[in-house]
Amino acid sequence: MTKKATNARSSARVVPLRKGTTIQMVRLACPDAAQCSLISESFGLPVLDSDGIRELHEKLIVDTAAALDEGLGERAMQIHLQRIVGAYVGSAHGAGQFYSRSVTEARDATAKAACDDRDEDVGGPVGFDSAAQRKREFAADMALQAHALGMAAEGAVNAYEQVVGEVWKPFERPVENPGQSVDRKAADLQMAALG
């Protein structure tokens, strides 16, 4: 009879985490106040009050926390605000990504329209915008939306720090079913029993 080799692996398991969206990711995805002002001037759109949006959302979260203070314990407040701030940050990041795609589409359409050999990209009838112009205007609208949501997220993150006393970080949940499936584990045990 041969002796079975023992498994030298440690029984400790490393659980990978699903990374959350950070405020730094929002800052990279959304246009800043200077770029938004330039876009507003170039497209004839309203100039946003970036500081006002940020401050209003900061006050909103702080006032909400004050109203809930008697009903929630310290840890419950932290969890509640974690979720609220996470929603603001996630929304702003999504808007920033959509803005980036809109800019890419506008650039592509503008480059195609500049090519004299393409008949399908010529401007429409008099009085109507070309497809490239509509895409540029849409991208400009998305810039303002992404910036406004980015400022709201900044305000929420600032409020979290005021109320909780620590810097907001996204919640990172474990990836579901990171290891072997139950069927695979059962098969391994059965094969080991067979020798």
Side-chain angles (χ1 to χ4, degrees):
M1 265 192 170
T2 61
K3 220 177 191 185
K4 258 198 300 191
T6 59
N7 190 353
R9 289 190 314 176
S10 165
S11 64
R13 210 171 52 139
V14 176
V15 177
L17 298 176
R18 187 174 294 157
K19 297 290 183 181
T21 305
T22 64
I23 193 67
Q24 288 77 15
M25 293 165 72
V26 170
R27 290 176 185 140
L28 291 172
C30 297
D32 61 13
Q35 186 178 6
C36 255
S37 292
L38 182 61
I39 290 169
S40 292
E41 290 173 20
S42 298
F43 287 89
L45 297 171
V47 176
L48 298 179
D49 178 13
S50 303
D51 293 336
I53 293 169
R54 185 182 59 248
E55 290 166 7
L56 178 70
H57 283 83
E58 185 174 335
K59 182 180 178 338
L60 175 75
I61 301 292
V62 169
D63 290 350
T64 300
L68 292 172
D69 193 38
E70 289 184 23
L72 295 179
E74 189 175 314
R75 181 70 178 138
M77 178 69 76
Q78 182 180 9
I79 292 168
H80 176 67
L81 292 179
Q82 169 71 29
R83 291 174 178 154
I84 290 174
V85 174
Y88 274 101
V89 171
S91 177
H93 186 250
Q97 289 177 318
F98 189 75
Y99 160 69
S100 295
R101 285 191 299 274
S102 299
V103 169
T104 299
E105 289 176 12
R107 281 189 183 131
D108 291 348
T110 301
K112 287 177 184 175
C115 180
D116 294 330
D117 296 333
R118 293 177 56 97
D119 289 336
E120 65 265 17
D121 293 321
V122 294
V126 175
F128 293 97
D129 293 333
S130 69
Q133 178 64 27
R134 286 192 305 273
K135 287 188 184 276
R136 288 191 299 271
E137 290 172 355
F138 182 75
D141 287 337
M142 294 307 101
L144 295 187
Q145 288 182 23
H147 177 68
L149 291 172
M151 290 295 96
E154 291 275 354
V157 167
N158 292 345
Y160 181 90
E161 190 169 355
Q162 280 182 37
V163 173
V164 176
E166 58 186 58
V167 176
W168 179 83
K169 288 180 248 164
F171 176 73
E172 296 176 345
R173 71 176 57 115
V175 176
E176 295 170 17
N177 199 11
Q180 293 179 328
S181 68
V182 173
D183 292 341
R184 182 67 197 155
K185 288 179 183 176
D188 288 345
L189 286 172
Q190 290 170 345
M191 289 307 295
L194 291 173

